[in-house]
Amino acid sequence: MSDNEQNRPDNYYVSQTEPAAKPPPALETGAIKWIYENLASSILNVILTLIGIAIIWLSITGLSTWIVRDANWFSITANFRNFMLGRYEAAYEWRATWTLFISVFIMGAAVAVWIKQIARTMLISIIIIILSLQLLPPIINATNDLPSWYAGAGNVELAVNQTTEVPFDEIAFIGQAEDEIQIQFASDDIADEEALANLNGFVDNVANQLRNLAGNRLEDIAQLEQWEALVAEHEEALAEGGVPVLTEAQYLEFTDEIADAEIAPPPIDFYNLNQNPVLVEILDAGTLDVVASATLTTPDDVLSLTLPEDGWYILRKTFAVSDVDATTEDETSSDAAESEGFASNEGIALLDVHGIYPSAKRESNIETAFTRRPDGFIIEGPDVTEPVVDGEALPFIDIIRNQYRGDKILQHYLRMYVSPFFTQIGNYTTLLLLTGIAGYWLAELLWAQAGKQTASRFASYGLMSIPVILWVLINGMYLFSVMMWLIFIAMAIASYVLYKLTQRDGLTPLVTIAGGIVVLLGVGVVVNVSGFDLPRLLTVLPLLTDDAAVPRFMIWLGIIFVPLAIYLGNDDHIPGEEVKFNLPLWAGLSLVLFVGAAFALVTNQVTIDTEWALQPSDARDWGGMLLTVMLTVYGIIIAFPLGLALALGRRSDLPLIKYLCTAYIELVRGSPFITVLFFAQLFIPLLSSELSQVPNSYRAIAAVIAFSAAYLAENVRGGLQSLPPGQEEAAKALGLSSWQTIRLITMPQALRAVIPALVGQFISLYKDTTLVSIVGLIDLVGFVGAMVVQAEFIGTRLEGLLFISILFFIPSYVMSYISRLLEASGSGSTRRM
C-alpha cells in the first residue's frame, strides 16, 4: 500500500463528473453587454440615452394621441383613389391595375433569382400582412361599435350668440339592407353639463350647439370661481396685514367682472332637454311609406328596425305635443328664450341614433355617388340624387354639418378608420402579394427545370419590359398594343418550334427578317382590302410629325429597335435543352407589327369603338402616385443610358464631343430642378407651335430625364476615374477594341463602384418629383393642397402629408435595401451561385 493510500481519510470521495460551468459575468454577454457598451459606458452616454428616450417617448405619445384622438382620416379613405391615380379616367382604371399586377409578378420572379436569401423572411412578412388585412376588419367590427349620431329634434330655435339653429323635422340618409337602426333619447350623455360638454360622436348642428352651450357655461363658471378665489385671497391678505395678491388695478378689474358676470342658464333645464315625447318615423324615400315608427317618452323607449333594402330613407322626428297656442309661440322668440325660458311643452330633444351615419356626395365623369363615411357604403349611378319631396330636394345627413365632435377614443378610431381602410385595400393588396408569390414560384420552376441562366434571363427581360408595359397601358397605345404582345407570345412559340425542327441557331435571324416582311405585307393586304390604297403608305411618313394620338417617338423607337434586335439575336441565345429563349428577336418582330399597325391607324383607316380597347388616355389627367411613378420610372430608365453616354462623352478624346457633354452637364447641374421644370414647361412650346400641344406631363418627364441624366453622368464618371489605368492597358494588350473595353472591362467595374451613389440619385429623383406641383401638375403633394380646400377636409393637411410621407418612404426604403444587398455581394450582384 502506498503512502498516499495509507494517509487517505475514510470518507474520501473522488467525483467522476466535471463541475458545472459557471455562467459568464452578466455585464459581459447578451443584451446587458450591448446596453452597457453602447448606452451606458459613461456618465455622458447615460445622460444622452435618457434624453433620447425622453424625446422618443414624448414624440411617440404625442403623435399617437394626435393620430387616434384628433386626426380626421376620412381625408385619406375618401380620397384614396385620387391619391393613387389623380384624375385618371375611371374607364381606364383597369390599365393601372393590370400594370401593377404584371410588375409585381415580374418583381416576384426577380426576388427568386437575385435576392433569394431574404425569401423566407419575405414570405413570412407576406403571410402576416395578408392575415392582418383579412382578419383585422371583421375582428374590429365584431368587437367595436361605430359611434352614435346625435340629432336634435324640437319645436324651438336654439340661439348661440348670432347663430340660430332649428332642428330638421325631416332629413334623408342612405341605408344598406340588413342595417340595424336604433333610436332613443341620449339620456346617459346628458346626465349633467360636463357629460353634455364632452359629448363625442357625429353630431348635427343642434347637438353641436348644445355641446358648445354646456362647454361655454362650464368655462364661464370656472373663470368666475377663479376670480372669486383671487379676490377672496387678496382681501384675506389685506385683513391680516400680509402681502397683497393682486394689484389695485387687478383687484378692481376682477371685482367688476364678478359684479357684471352673467352665467347662462343650464341648457339641459333651459331647453327642457328630453322632457317631451318625440314621434320618430323612418320612411321609404321613394314611396314615402312609413317603414317603422315609435313615440319616445322615457329613456327606455327605443325605435328598432332592420332596413329592407339599399337606398334612400327619410328620418322624421317631431314633438308629439301639438297644443301650443299662439301666446306660447310668441314667447319662443330668441330674446324671450334668453330671459324666461320655454313652456313645459316646448324644448329640444337630443336623440342617440345608431345605424344612421353621415354621407358625402361625390361627382365623377360617369356617375354620381353618395358614400357613407364611417363604413364606406356607397350608392351610385348616373341618376342617383337626393330624395325630392314636394318638388324640393330634401337635405341629407352630410358629413360637413355632421362631423365627429369631441375627443375620439381608441374604439372609434379603429372602427371608423382602421377597419374601412383595411377593407378598402385588403383584397387588392392580398391579390398583389399572391401575384408576387406566383412570379416567385414561376422563377423557381424555371430555375429547377431549365437552369439558373434561363431563370435569370426571364427576370432580366421581364424587368426591362416593365417600362414598356407601363407606357403602353397607362398612356394608351390603342388596340394594336394588345396585338403587339400577342405576337410577342406567338413568336416565342415559333422560335421554340423552329429550334426544335432545325437545331440550328443561325437560321433564326433570317426567319426574323422574313417574318417582319410577311407581317408588313399582311398589314398592307388588310389595309388594301379595307379600301386603302397601298402606295399611300409612302405618304404617311409626313404624318409622323402631325398632332396625333400615337406618340411619334414610340414609332421611331420601333423602327430603330428592329435591326438592333436582329443584331443582338445572332448571339443572344440562352443555352438549354428544354427551353430556348430569344426575347430581343420576339420584341423586334412585335414592334415591326406595331409600326405597320400604327401607319394604318395614323391614316384613319382603323376605327376603335370598344370600351376595353387601349384608347388614348389624357396625360393631363395623370396625377397622384401614378404621375410620380411615371416621372420616376422614365427619369431613371431613359436618363440612365443618356447619363452613360454623357459620362463617356466627357472622357472622350474628341474635343467637340467632350466640350459639348461637359457644357451640358455643368449647365444642368448648375441649375435647380425647378428651373429645368419651368424651362420645359415654358420654353419648349416656343420652339415649335406643335410642341405647345404636348401635355404638361410629357414636358415634366422630359425635364426629369434631362436633369437626372446630368447627375448620373457625373456619378458614372466618378466610377470610371476610380479604376486604375492598368485595366485599360491590359484590355489593349489582349486586343480588345475601345467599345469592348468599355462594355466588358471598365463600365461594369465603374457601375459596381458607384452603386450607392446611383441608388441615392434614384431615391432623390423619386422624392424631387414633388416639385412638379409648382408647375401646375397634381402629384401627391399637389393633391394634398387641392384636398384641403374642400369644405369637408379643411384642416386635414397634416393627415395628407403624413400619408404621402409613407408612400414616399416605402419605395425609398426598398431601393435602399436593394442597394445594400448589391453592395454586400462584393461584385455588385446578388445572384445565387
Side-chain angles (χ1 to χ4, degrees), residues 730-809:
K732 291 179 180 179
L734 293 174
L736 298 180
S737 65
S738 298
W739 284 110
Q740 288 175 323
T741 301
I742 293 173
R743 185 167 64 93
L744 302 175
I745 305 297
T746 59
M747 190 59 71
Q749 296 183 74
L751 293 179
R752 287 196 293 268
V754 294
I755 285 175
L758 292 177
V759 177
Q761 177 62 30
F762 296 158
I763 295 174
S764 177
L765 173 64
Y766 176 58
K767 294 182 292 185
D768 286 346
T769 56
T770 57
L771 291 175
V772 299
S773 60
I774 300 177
V775 295
L777 295 176
I778 308 300
D779 71 323
L780 288 171
V781 175
F783 180 73
V784 172
M787 177 187 71
V788 297
V789 300
Q790 303 176 47
E792 180 183 348
F793 304 117
I794 292 177
T796 60
R797 185 181 298 274
L798 185 56
E799 289 88 331
L801 293 177
L802 181 61
F803 177 67
I804 66 173
S805 68
I806 297 174
L807 295 181
F808 279 108
F809 170 77

Side-chain angles (χ1 to χ4, degrees), residues 593-604:
L593 175 66
F594 170 65
V595 171
F599 284 171
L601 182 63
V602 171
T603 53
N604 299 321

Side-chain angles (χ1 to χ4, degrees), residues 9 63 104 156 183 195 354 426 491 497 529 599 650 671 762 822 825:
L63 181 62
V104 170
V156 300
I183 305 176
H354 283 276
M491 290 310 301
V497 173
V529 170
F599 284 171
R650 188 165 187 174
S671 304
F762 296 158
L822 293 174
S825 68

Side-chain angles (χ1 to χ4, degrees), residues 404-445:
Y404 189 102
R405 304 289 182 178
D407 295 336
K408 285 186 289 292
I409 59 177
L410 180 61
Q411 291 83 348
H412 290 176
Y413 166 76
L414 294 174
R415 190 70 168 83
M416 288 193 302
Y417 300 138
V418 176
S419 178
F421 183 73
F422 277 27
T423 301
Q424 187 177 24
I425 69 171
N427 293 337
Y428 196 86
T429 305
T430 299
L431 290 175
L432 276 178
L433 295 175
L434 294 177
T435 301
I437 293 176
Y440 180 92
W441 173 83
L442 179 59
E444 285 287 338
L445 183 63

